[in-house]
Structure formats: structure tokens, C-alpha cells
């Protein structure tokens, strides 16, 4: 599932490509996603112009000049494909390959001026596309209970300490909670906890000030690095043709069960356990 860095990369791709364009036509080959696409309302977006493209947590917002915003959640396999005037297709992120896309999984096709097509493709249909009044979107059930953005100033040592002390849950579960922190997913939570040299099963209310500081710093550091590595593959968007991002090359624990710890001074082995039914990877020596 795409997490905050992947969604941020998609947002940047869309912002660079469809900003200030006008929707000329909309096709809905298959309205059945996690929630059915509202065909009647979606058609009303025709002739509107894209004012901006933004992100909150794992949600993408396409803000239009008609007072509406299209909200998109990519789910497990959702992806945007851009087609230029010469019929060339481009990926908008690094977590999928263009070769994997099949037209039968296209759910929404927006035609913009300059002969630009934006296609939403979703094999497993866990993603969704909804439309809200722009001035009321923050009241939606998807957004109103979200925690702060990890890269914002609101997420800091004081917020972490105040919030974590009220909860007696595993650190892994705390960081996975979207009410505590918006946008983190299983991959980056595993990486953050490893980099912080903390056991994922430590209780949140038992974290020391030093460990909280380290966690906050590593969350911001790892997310910035992931965005940079993904973003580097779309720096020249017209030339990427689905080129992969690079952050996968920097995984220290995720998916590495049975392999040696990547720390040069550690002789531990990466173990895999289940916490709240999610795969959790950690070093059996340096994460105590």
C-alpha cells in the first residue's frame, strides 16, 4: 500500500502536470471502488479548472475553481496514469510499473485541455474517489480525526510526549495509529523504530524523553529521505516512463527477516513477528 512518501510523490507529479488545466470531459468505465463513484456529481466537474493539488495524510486533493474538491485515496493498488498529447503514458510514482496496468481496471478518465488524460486505475478496488465542497472537506469522516502531519511543526517532542503518555500500547501500534500521526504505514514505521534502536513492543507510556526525541527526529528524517528518493525519479517528469524510485534500496529491516542486521557493529539477525496482525521486523540484538 502506498504510504505518505509515495502519495506525496503522486501529488507532486499531478501538481506539475495538471495544475491550471481545465477538465474537458470525464469518463467512468467502472464506478465500483471501495465507494461507488458519484457519476452525476463527477460529471459536474467538467469545465472546471484545477486550482491546486494537495495532500493530507494518504489522501490527495484536486481542488477546482467551482468550489469542489476531488478526494482520492489510493487504497492498496490505486494509481494515476498520465497520457500526453502524443499518447505517451507516464507513471506518477515509483511503487508500480506501467506494464502492470490493464484498461479493464480503469475507473476514471479525465480529459484536460492540451490533450492530457488522467486515468485512475485500481486492480483491487480498495481505493476511492469522492467529491466534497472545498470549504467543508475538513469535516469529512476521513479527515476530522487525523493526527498531525509528520513533517509539520505540530508534530514535535512535546506533542509526542503528551500524547504517548496517555496510552499504554505498543510503540508499533502507536505509530501506526492515524489518530496519533497521519500518513505513516507499516514500512516506514518498521524503519523508524529500527533506526531509533527501540523494540517495537515497548509500551508508549514507558518511552524516555531521549527515545521520544530520537523517534521524532528519525520519523522526519526517513520520510524526507523517502520523498527525496521517490521524487528524484520524477524530477524530469516527461522522461521518467515509469522509472522506479530508489528508497527500497535503503530498507534496513522491512522484508529482511533472517538476514544480518545492517548496522556494522551489530551481529544480530532481523526477526519477523506479528503485532496487531501486521508484519513487524526488528533486530534481535540492537533493538532492546
Amino acid at each position: 500500500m502506498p504510504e505518505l512518501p509515495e502519495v506525496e510523490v503522486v501529488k507532486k507529479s499531478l501538481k506539475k502536470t495538471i495544475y491550471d488545466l481545465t477538465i474537458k470531459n470525464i469518463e467512468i468505465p467502472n464506478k465500483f471502488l471501495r465507494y461507488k463513484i458519484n457519476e452525476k456529481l463527477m460529471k459536474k466537474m467538467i469545465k472546471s479548472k484545477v486550482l491546486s493539488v494537495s495532500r493530507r495524510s494518504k489522501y490527495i486533493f484536486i481542488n477546482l475553481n467551482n468550489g469542489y474538491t476531488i478526494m482520492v485515496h489510493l487504497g492498496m493498488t490505486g494509481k494515476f496514469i498520465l497520457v500526453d498529447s502524443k499518447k505517451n503514458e507516464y507513471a506518477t510514482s515509483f511503487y508500480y510499473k506501467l506494464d502492470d496496468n490493464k484498461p479493464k481496471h480503469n475507473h476514471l478518465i479525465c480529459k484536460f485541455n492540451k490533450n492530457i488524460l488522467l486515468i485512475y486505475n485500481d486492480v483491487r478496488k480498495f481505493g476511492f474517489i469522492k467529491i466534497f465542497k472545498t470549504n467543508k472537506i475538513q469535516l469529512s469522516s476521513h479527515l476530522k480525526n487525523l493526527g498531525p502531519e509528520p513533517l509539520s511543526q505540530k508534530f514535535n517532542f512535546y506533542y509526542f510526549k503528551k500524547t504517548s503518555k496517555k496510552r499504554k500500547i505498543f510503540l508499533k501500534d502507536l505509530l501506526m495509529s492515524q489518530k496519533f500521526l497521519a500518513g505513516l504505514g507499516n514500512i516506514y514505521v518498521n524503519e523508524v523504530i529500527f533506526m531509533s534502536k527501540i523494540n517495537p513492543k515497548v509500551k508508549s507510556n514507558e518511552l524516555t524523553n531521549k527515545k521520544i526525541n530520537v523517534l521524532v527526529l528519525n520519523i522526519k528524517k526517513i520520510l524526507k529521505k523517502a520523498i527525496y528518493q521517490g521524487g528524484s525519479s520524477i524530477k524530469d517528469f516527461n522522461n521518467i516512463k515509469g522509472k522506479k524510485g530508489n528508497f527500497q534500496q535503503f530498507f534496513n529491516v522491512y522484508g529482511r527477516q533472517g538476514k544480518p542486521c545492517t548496522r556494522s557493529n551489530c551481529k544480530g539477525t532481523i526477526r519477523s513477528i506479528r503485532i496487531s496482525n501486521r508484519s513487524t521486523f526488528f533486530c534481535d540484538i540492537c533493538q532492546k
Side-chain angles (χ1 to χ4, degrees):
M1 176 185 289
E3 299 182 21
L4 187 153
E6 290 80 26
V7 178
E8 177 68 14
V9 170
V10 173
K11 183 212 77 176
K12 288 183 176 182
S13 298
L14 296 179
K15 184 176 181 179
K16 184 173 182 178
T17 310
I18 67 172
Y19 166 71
D20 208 35
L21 294 186
T22 299
I23 299 174
K24 307 298 288 186
N25 191 40
I26 291 176
E27 296 178 30
I28 305 174
N30 185 349
K31 64 182 178 181
F32 295 101
L33 288 166
R34 189 194 313 180
Y35 310 106
K36 285 195 299 185
I37 298 175
N38 187 328
E39 294 184 82
K40 185 176 180 180
L41 183 57
M42 184 62 73
K43 293 287 187 178
K44 290 183 179 181
M45 302 303 107
I46 295 174
K47 296 184 180 180
S48 59
K49 181 182 288 188
V50 177
L51 291 180
S52 63
V53 182
S54 54
R55 179 195 58 77
R56 174 76 168 106
S57 184
K58 301 176 188 178
Y59 302 95
I60 294 172
F61 306 131
I62 301 174
N63 305 300
L64 306 172
N65 69 345
N66 62 354
Y68 284 92
T69 291
I70 300 173
M71 175 196 282
V72 181
H73 190 281
L74 300 174
M76 295 289 290
T77 58
K79 60 189 76 72
F80 278 112
I81 303 156
L82 282 157
V83 185
D84 66 16
S85 58
K86 296 180 181 179
K87 307 299 181 183
N88 296 312
E89 294 186 354
Y90 302 104
T92 55
S93 187
F94 58 75
Y95 72 95
Y96 69 93
K97 298 179 181 179
L98 284 172
D99 294 343
D100 296 336
N101 302 317
K102 296 181 179 179
K104 67 179 181 179
H105 298 304
N106 290 343
H107 295 270
L108 178 71
I109 303 173
C110 289
K111 183 177 182 180
F112 293 90
N113 60 311
K114 299 184 180 180
N115 288 319
I116 300 294
L117 291 181
L118 179 64
I119 301 170
Y120 179 77
N121 181 286
D122 196 338
V123 176
R124 298 183 67 179
K125 305 177 185 178
F126 290 154
F128 67 80
I129 300 171
K130 287 187 175 183
I131 299 174
F132 295 89
K133 282 280 190 180
T134 302
N135 60 3
K136 294 182 179 180
I137 194 167
Q138 295 301 327
L139 300 176
S140 76
S141 60
H142 305 290
L143 304 177
K144 64 181 181 180
N145 294 319
L146 287 177
E149 288 286 313
L151 298 177
S152 71
Q153 293 183 353
K154 291 182 179 179
F155 178 62
N156 53 40
F157 167 83
Y158 303 102
Y159 168 80
F160 198 122
K161 182 175 181 178
K162 179 181 177 181
T163 309
S164 63
K165 293 302 179 184
K166 298 177 182 178
R167 321 233 351 226
K168 296 181 181 180
I169 60 176
F170 293 143
L171 171 61
K172 172 75 183 297
D173 288 333
L174 178 71
L175 297 185
M176 289 292 294
S177 170
Q178 297 303 294
K179 291 183 179 181
F180 172 71
L181 190 60
L184 280 186
N186 200 35
I187 291 175
Y188 296 102
V189 167
N190 276 281
E191 294 296 314
V192 164
I193 296 176
F194 170 79
M195 289 297 293
S196 304
K197 295 184 179 181
I198 303 174
N199 190 291
K201 295 184 77 172
V202 69
K203 293 295 180 67
S204 59
N205 64 323
E206 297 175 355
L207 291 166
T208 64
N209 288 349
K210 182 179 180 180
K211 288 183 176 179
I212 290 173
N213 253 325
V214 169
L215 283 164
V216 171
L217 290 172
N218 281 332
I219 287 170
K220 293 178 182 289
K221 180 180 179 179
I222 287 174
L223 290 179
K224 287 178 181 178
K225 183 176 182 179
I227 291 169
Y228 174 79
Q229 292 297 333
S232 66
S233 70
I234 61 161
K235 188 174 182 180
D236 184 358
F237 186 76
N238 290 328
N239 291 328
I240 64 157
K241 297 185 179 179
K243 182 180 177 181
K244 286 186 177 181
N246 299 314
F247 190 77
Q248 296 91 326
Q249 299 174 19
F250 298 94
F251 287 169
N252 287 294
V253 287
Y254 188 81
R256 299 189 68 251
Q257 64 269 28
K259 296 182 179 180
C261 179
T262 54
R263 286 194 173 92
S264 59
N265 60 345
C266 181
K267 296 182 179 180
T269 300
I270 304 303
R271 290 181 55 200
S272 176
I273 60 174
R274 305 288 289 184
I275 296 179
S276 297
N277 205 33
R278 288 181 179 271
S279 297
T280 302
F281 304 91
F282 69 101
C283 174
D284 59 5
I285 290 183
C286 64
Q287 286 180 263
K288 297 295 186 180

